[in-house]
Amino acid sequence: MSQTIQKTLRDSAAMRWTALLLLALAMFCSYIFMDILSPIKDLMLSERNWDSTAFGTMQGSEVFLNVFAFFLIFAGIILDKMGVRFTAVLSAVVMLVGAVIKWYAVTDAFIGTGLETWFTNNLNYIPVFDELGVSPFYEGMPASAKFAACGFMIFGCGCEMAGITVSRGIVKWFKGREMALAMGSEMALARLGVATCMIFSPFFARLGGTISVSRSVAFGVVLLCIALIMTIVYFVMDKKLDAQTGEAEEKDDPFKVSDLGQILTSSGFWLVALLCVLYYSAIFPFQKYAVNMLQCNLTLEAPASDSFWAQPDVTIVQYVIMLLVAGFGFASNFQKQKNRQYALLGLSVLSLITYCYMGYMRQSAESIFAVFPLLAVLITPILGSYVDHKGKAASMLVLGSLLLIACHLTFAFILPMFNGSTVGGVIVAYATILVLGASFSLVPASLWPSVPKLVDAKIIGSAYALIFWIQNIGLWLFPLLIGKVLDKTNPDVTDPTQYDYTWPLIMLASLGVAALVLGLLLKVVDRKKGLGLEEPNIKE
């Protein structure tokens, strides 16, 4: 008598990786919108009169409600109570609503309206928040920046909710399998959104020879509509999985506030959470200023208007080559035959060299910084697979801290030494940006898969929410601090390409130093308490 073994969608590698792809593409779109104004900071000054303080305050507003209204904590409770699929669709809807508001705020249609007048005359003083110095608005802040900040706050609620939902979804589909590889792959794909933003935001802003910053934001809004569709498709897949397994969605296991005690009393959890906030505060806020930092430190001369390198079509060609870099590099991780793996790696490296050459010929700071996620796309799955089979997650966090410190100090002190050297400065910039991206890839590959080792399975959503909430404090604070430090240390600078970024970069490097100390401490705690952070996820 034969016995039929019932297989589920989760048992099919194709289906669980399809589920991952849907979640990753949704995050890809959100990452694009997150930094949609970053590569056109100079245009926001000339077109909307946003100085560095206004720009930094607006950028930091993304996480304001998550931090001060504790929305992320509520998001974690919603996730634990209502489940992955409901929260995924909800987060996509919230992101889209906030994005539409931000888009309208920077359109020409907003100028001269009663709404602009209202924002000009109001929100200049917020009781308590002003006294504490944490208000998301201030007197003299442009009305468009205030209204954009309101939309960005709403978007930020949905974006961070999506972040914890994706992490929980990967745990659901990959637990006991290649979970670190899956998390690393998701973040590698999502971070291509950074490169996409850096390339296409300036492209749309200057499309047709006329400048319109709202076109860039509209591009992001369209992509968030696509993200919503992706989450709806995931909803259907996830529901079918539960029907096959007979498992109830997480809402049948009610969340209790007392469960948070398990999280808050874990020293390992707090070290991981603080490492997370330090890592992300040294990267994400930097991304919002990185293009302008390169404009200030590199000697770039725009190509002649009639040359090949000045044509808009070059942007599309360069983006295709960037996708080849990522595609070849990513695919190499899944080849069992060494000759195929090396062949794909070789093609990826050749494509990367071609991309870098095009960025140099275009003399574009946006194109140069767009290489940031490319090395991460290549090595994050490798690191994730290594953690799955060999472990050493805590050690990787220490290595990432060292690389983080080195990169920010290079930007602060070495890169300015090459100002005036057209080739030398670009080479230093490319090398440092690629290494910084590589250091950042250590976080999703090693940190996020460690969380299920620290807390009970039914409160993973709340644990991720708490980590994201702590992380969001840094993501709110440091864009604001960078803007204020820039204005304070460059009081007489009116040209946005002439700022001195030394002190903001030293500040970011100091975060790396703190992360290094915590990483070493985490290794000690892991060894003493047997948390298993250095152990592999897959037991051979």
Side-chain angles (χ1 to χ4, degrees), residues 16 31 102 153 192 337-338 343 396 402 416:
R16 65 175 178 267
Y31 267 52
K102 183 175 178 179
M153 287 180 198
L192 280 178
Q337 296 182 15
K338 291 295 183 181
M396 287 189 179
L402 290 170

Side-chain angles (χ1 to χ4, degrees), residues 104 108-122 143 147:
Y104 179 67
D108 292 337
F110 177 73
I111 300 173
T113 63
L115 198 57
E116 182 188 36
T117 302
W118 189 90
F119 273 94
T120 299
N121 297 329
N122 293 278
F147 193 35

Side-chain angles (χ1 to χ4, degrees), residues 201-225:
S201 180
F203 172 78
F204 283 110
R206 297 183 172 94
L207 189 64
T210 58
I211 294 177
S212 173
V213 293
S214 65
R215 279 198 299 259
S216 296
V217 185
F219 166 64
V221 171
V222 171
L223 290 176
L224 288 175
C225 292

Side-chain angles (χ1 to χ4, degrees), residues 199-448:
I199 289 177
F200 282 107
S201 180
F203 172 78
F204 283 110
R206 297 183 172 94
L207 189 64
T210 58
I211 294 177
S212 173
V213 293
S214 65
R215 279 198 299 259
S216 296
V217 185
F219 166 64
V221 171
V222 171
L223 290 176
L224 288 175
C225 292
I226 296 173
L228 176 57
I229 295 172
M230 295 292 180
T231 58
I232 292 173
V233 176
Y234 174 82
F235 183 100
V236 175
M237 281 189 66
D238 194 78
K239 190 171 184 180
K240 186 175 181 180
L241 173 64
D242 282 351
Q244 289 179 334
T245 61
E247 297 173 359
E249 264 279 71
E250 290 88 341
K251 61 183 179 181
D252 290 337
D253 191 5
F255 171 86
K256 298 188 293 292
V257 175
S258 59
D259 290 336
L260 292 178
Q262 298 178 38
I263 303 172
L264 298 178
T265 55
S266 169
S267 58
F269 168 83
W270 279 110
L271 288 172
V272 167
L274 291 174
L275 268 167
C276 179
V277 69
L278 292 170
Y279 260 104
Y280 279 73
S281 295
I283 299 289
F284 281 131
F286 171 72
Q287 285 178 190
K288 300 179 186 303
Y289 291 87
V291 171
N292 186 234
M293 185 274 294
L294 292 176
Q295 290 171 339
C296 296
N297 286 290
L298 295 178
T299 302
L300 300 173
E301 298 179 2
S305 58
D306 59 347
S307 73
F308 168 76
W309 301 108
Q311 303 308 309
D313 293 346
V314 179
T315 300
I316 307 298
V317 176
Q318 194 176 16
Y319 187 64
V320 171
I321 293 174
M322 186 197 77
L323 292 179
L324 291 177
V325 176
F328 288 138
F330 188 74
S332 70
N333 290 287
F334 300 92
Q335 302 303 312
K336 294 183 178 180
Q337 296 182 15
K338 291 295 183 181
N339 58 341
R340 288 186 180 182
Q341 184 181 38
Y342 293 146
L344 287 171
L345 280 173
L347 290 172
S348 180
V349 172
L350 287 175
S351 301
L352 177 61
I353 293 171
T354 303
Y355 176 90
C356 292
Y357 173 75
M358 294 185 71
Y360 167 73
M361 292 302 295
R362 293 188 67 195
Q363 292 288 283
S364 165
E366 308 95 82
S367 294
I368 292 171
F369 186 70
V371 303
F372 173 68
L374 295 186
L375 192 57
V377 171
L378 172 61
I379 71 170
T380 301
I382 296 174
L383 295 172
S385 181
Y386 184 86
V387 172
D388 279 330
H389 294 92
K390 303 295 183 181
K392 304 298 181 183
S395 298
M396 287 189 179
L397 294 174
V398 171
L399 175 60
S401 300
L402 290 170
L403 294 176
L404 194 65
I405 297 166
C407 289
H408 283 309
L409 292 180
T410 299
F411 285 132
F413 298 107
I414 297 178
L415 185 60
M417 295 169 58
F418 288 85
N419 200 338
S421 173
T422 305
V423 177
V426 171
I427 291 175
V428 172
Y430 270 135
T432 311
I433 292 166
L434 284 168
V435 173
L436 184 66
S439 75
F440 194 31
S441 68
L442 292 162
V443 179
S446 54
L447 189 149
W448 296 119

Side-chain angles (χ1 to χ4, degrees), residues 7-189:
K7 288 193 174 183
T8 67
L9 291 177
R10 187 164 49 201
D11 296 317
S12 166
M15 288 296 100
R16 65 175 178 267
W17 283 95
T18 298
L20 176 74
L21 182 63
L22 292 170
L23 293 174
L25 286 174
M27 292 305 296
F28 169 83
C29 296
S30 71
Y31 267 52
I32 292 175
F33 192 86
M34 188 187 304
D35 282 316
I36 200 70
L37 294 181
S38 301
I40 54 174
K41 177 181 180 291
D42 56 329
L43 297 182
M44 298 312 298
L45 176 62
S46 60
E47 299 299 308
R48 291 296 181 268
N49 198 34
W50 292 13
D51 60 13
S52 292
T53 299
F55 182 83
T57 302
M58 193 286 303
Q59 294 282 43
S61 68
E62 177 196 355
V63 296
F64 183 83
L65 292 178
N66 290 324
V67 173
F68 294 102
F70 301 100
F71 182 82
L72 253 178
I73 306 300
F74 295 122
I77 295 173
I78 292 171
L79 176 57
D80 283 331
K81 192 171 180 64
M82 301 303 294
V84 173
R85 55 178 176 264
F86 171 86
T87 314
V89 175
L90 176 62
S91 64
V93 171
V94 173
M95 282 194 292
L96 184 58
V97 170
V100 171
I101 293 173
K102 183 175 178 179
W103 165 75
Y104 179 67
V106 298
T107 61
D108 292 337
F110 177 73
I111 300 173
T113 63
L115 198 57
E116 182 188 36
T117 302
W118 189 90
F119 273 94
T120 299
N121 297 329
N122 293 278
L123 300 180
N124 294 314
Y125 171 73
I126 311 295
V128 180
F129 287 99
D130 267 275
E131 279 74 16
L132 294 174
V134 297
S135 176
F137 315 106
Y138 61 87
E139 188 170 2
M141 186 177 182
S144 59
K146 288 181 183 176
F147 193 35
C150 292
F152 211 25
M153 287 180 198
I154 297 172
F155 166 83
C157 290
C159 186
E160 297 303 317
M161 183 191 293
I164 60 173
T165 302
V166 168
S167 297
R168 179 64 177 264
I170 293 174
V171 170
K172 179 176 182 178
W173 283 77
F174 285 88
K175 190 169 185 179
R177 297 176 174 86
E178 56 279 86
M179 186 165 61
L181 175 61
M183 287 191 173
S185 299
E186 180 271 323
M187 285 307 299
L189 179 58

